[in-house]
């Protein structure tokens, strides 16, 4: 036990210093959260009780600073938002002339997005997704699906030219990451530019969510079919993380594109 704790401490220091721990050391950190499971009902309950500390009342700064690399000169890009919540990023992109499709389990989050953005919307059933609903803006090209993310597919809305993943990969149950990566890559059009936000911290002091996702796992999930470029890394430690016992909290943004050969 002492050895394992020392190993985690060593890897934590490596991350803080910008070093690269071994895959074996990283696996020990991943194992700390491997069995952590959040049921869909728990996420819905958090929205009902307004326990949504992950929501930001402004456009995400990492998206703003990297949007030109995502767009790559393109106009009218079709964006996918997995586990979209009520992110203001969706309206921001739609206001720029892009279209947005999101998936979210919590009906309250979807309705609050439209209401707080002063948008009217329609509500429809989705024949291809029993039990699901889609909410569509009357003023912008935004469609938000209320359903289990893993029931969504390219058969519903086709493929996408852009994906913004802030709070999705880091929120799903760690044991589902391979299934998640397969879904996301299946939704990527050939020119898709996927912006992925990940978090590094000591998973032995906080069990998540949001969960610890190291660069090595991003590579293992997407590296076979995609090229991965680290665009930005910053110290995101705030009093919120310190209260959870963390002494470092690093946010990273990766640009992921399908390999051409």
């Amino acid at each position: 036990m002492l050895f394992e704790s020392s190993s985690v401490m060593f890897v934590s220091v490596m991350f803080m210093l910008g070093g690269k721990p071994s895959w074996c050391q990283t696996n020990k950190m991943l194992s700390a959260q491997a069995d952590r499971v959040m049921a869909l009902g728990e996420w819905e309950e958090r929205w009902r009780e307004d326990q949504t500390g992950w929501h930001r009342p402004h456009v995400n700064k990492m998206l703003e600073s990297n949007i030109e690399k995502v767009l790559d000169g393109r106009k009218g890009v079709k964006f996918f938002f997995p586990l979209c919540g009520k992110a203001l990023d969706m309206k921001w992109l739609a206001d720029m002339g892009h279209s947005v499709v999101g998936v979210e389990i919590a009906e309250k989050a979807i309705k609050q997005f439209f209401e707080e953005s002063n948008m009217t919307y329609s509500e429809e059933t989705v024949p291809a997704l029993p039990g699901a609903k889609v909410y569509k803006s009357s003023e912008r090209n935004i469609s938000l699906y209320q359903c289990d993310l893993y029931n969504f597919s390219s058969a519903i809305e086709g493929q996408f030219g852009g994906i913004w993943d802030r709070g999705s990969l880091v929120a799903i149950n760690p044991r589902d990451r391979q299934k998640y990566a397969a879904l996301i890559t299946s939704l990527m059009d050939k020119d898709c530019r996927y912006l992925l936000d990940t978090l590094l911290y000591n998973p032995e002091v906080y069990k998540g969510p949001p969960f610890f996702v190291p660069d090595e796992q991003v590579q293992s999930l997407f590296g076979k079919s995609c090229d991965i470029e680290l665009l930005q890394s910053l110290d995101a430690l705030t009093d919120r993380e310190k209260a959870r016992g963390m002494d470092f909290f690093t946010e990273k943004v990766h640009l992921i594109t399908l390999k051409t050969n």
Side-chain angles (χ1 to χ4, degrees):
M1 185 68 182
L2 178 60
F3 173 79
E4 291 182 355
S5 298
S6 299
S7 176
V8 169
M9 184 178 296
F10 168 76
V11 178
S12 299
V13 171
M14 289 285 286
F15 279 129
M16 285 188 285
L17 295 176
K20 286 287 185 180
S22 72
W23 183 232
C24 179
Q25 292 162 336
T26 302
N27 269 339
K28 288 183 178 180
M29 295 187 80
L30 287 168
S31 68
Q33 295 178 336
D35 297 326
R36 180 78 164 93
V37 173
M38 283 279 290
L40 292 180
E42 292 180 77
W43 287 109
E44 292 180 286
E45 183 177 359
R46 288 193 178 194
W47 278 103
R48 283 194 299 268
E49 297 182 356
D50 295 320
Q51 296 178 357
T52 55
W54 61 85
H55 175 70
R56 297 291 178 264
H58 50 73
V59 176
N60 187 277
K61 300 300 182 184
M62 301 283 257
L63 175 62
E64 280 186 317
S65 60
N66 292 288
I67 188 60
E68 293 306 321
K69 289 188 177 180
V70 177
L71 295 177
D72 194 32
R74 298 173 297 166
K75 307 291 184 183
V77 175
K78 183 179 179 182
F79 276 89
F80 181 60
F81 277 65
L83 307 186
C84 61
K86 59 176 183 177
L88 298 183
D89 307 350
M90 295 188 288
K91 183 176 184 299
W92 183 68
L93 286 170
D95 286 345
M96 293 168 62
H98 307 294
S99 60
V100 171
V101 174
V103 172
E104 170 59 51
I105 192 61
E107 182 181 48
K108 181 177 180 178
I110 294 173
K111 289 185 173 181
Q112 282 187 341
F113 167 75
F114 288 116
E115 292 162 3
E116 293 173 6
S117 300
N118 296 313
M119 285 188 276
T120 56
Y121 61 92
S122 63
E123 177 182 332
E124 304 171 15
T125 59
V126 186
L129 290 173
K133 295 179 183 178
V134 60
Y135 298 78
K136 297 182 178 181
S137 167
S138 304
E139 295 87 9
R140 297 288 186 275
N141 197 348
I142 301 175
S143 299
L144 305 184
Y145 286 80
Q146 185 203 359
C147 65
D148 183 335
L149 176 64
Y150 298 115
N151 291 336
F152 193 80
S153 71
S154 59
I156 308 300
E157 281 276 357
Q159 293 177 310
F160 297 88
I163 299 173
W164 173 219
D165 185 338
R166 184 263 167 186
S168 187
L169 178 58
V170 298
I172 64 161
N173 296 326
R175 68 185 186 187
D176 293 331
R177 286 178 184 168
Q178 291 287 350
K179 178 170 66 172
Y180 178 87
L183 170 63
I184 293 297
T185 52
S186 75
L187 294 173
M188 296 174 69
D189 207 345
K190 62 182 182 300
D191 65 345
C192 182
R193 299 176 76 80
Y194 168 28
L195 195 64
L196 170 66
D197 186 279
T198 59
L199 300 171
L200 301 178
Y201 61 85
N202 183 346
E204 284 213 337
V205 301
Y206 179 67
K207 297 301 183 184
F211 296 110
F212 165 76
V213 181
D215 295 359
E216 291 84 355
Q217 185 151 66
V218 174
Q219 184 66 39
S220 72
L221 290 172
F222 298 103
K224 287 184 179 179
S225 60
C226 300
D227 293 317
I228 303 166
E229 178 186 358
L230 176 63
L231 297 183
Q232 194 173 358
S233 179
L234 60 83
D235 178 1
L237 185 68
T238 68
D239 290 341
R240 176 182 173 84
E241 287 75 42
K242 290 177 182 177
R244 291 170 168 171
M246 302 180 194
D247 55 7
F248 78 102
F249 190 73
T250 303
E251 185 174 6
K252 291 190 171 188
V253 166
H254 314 260
L255 182 64
I256 300 177
T257 55
L258 291 172
K259 290 181 177 178
T260 56
N261 49 34

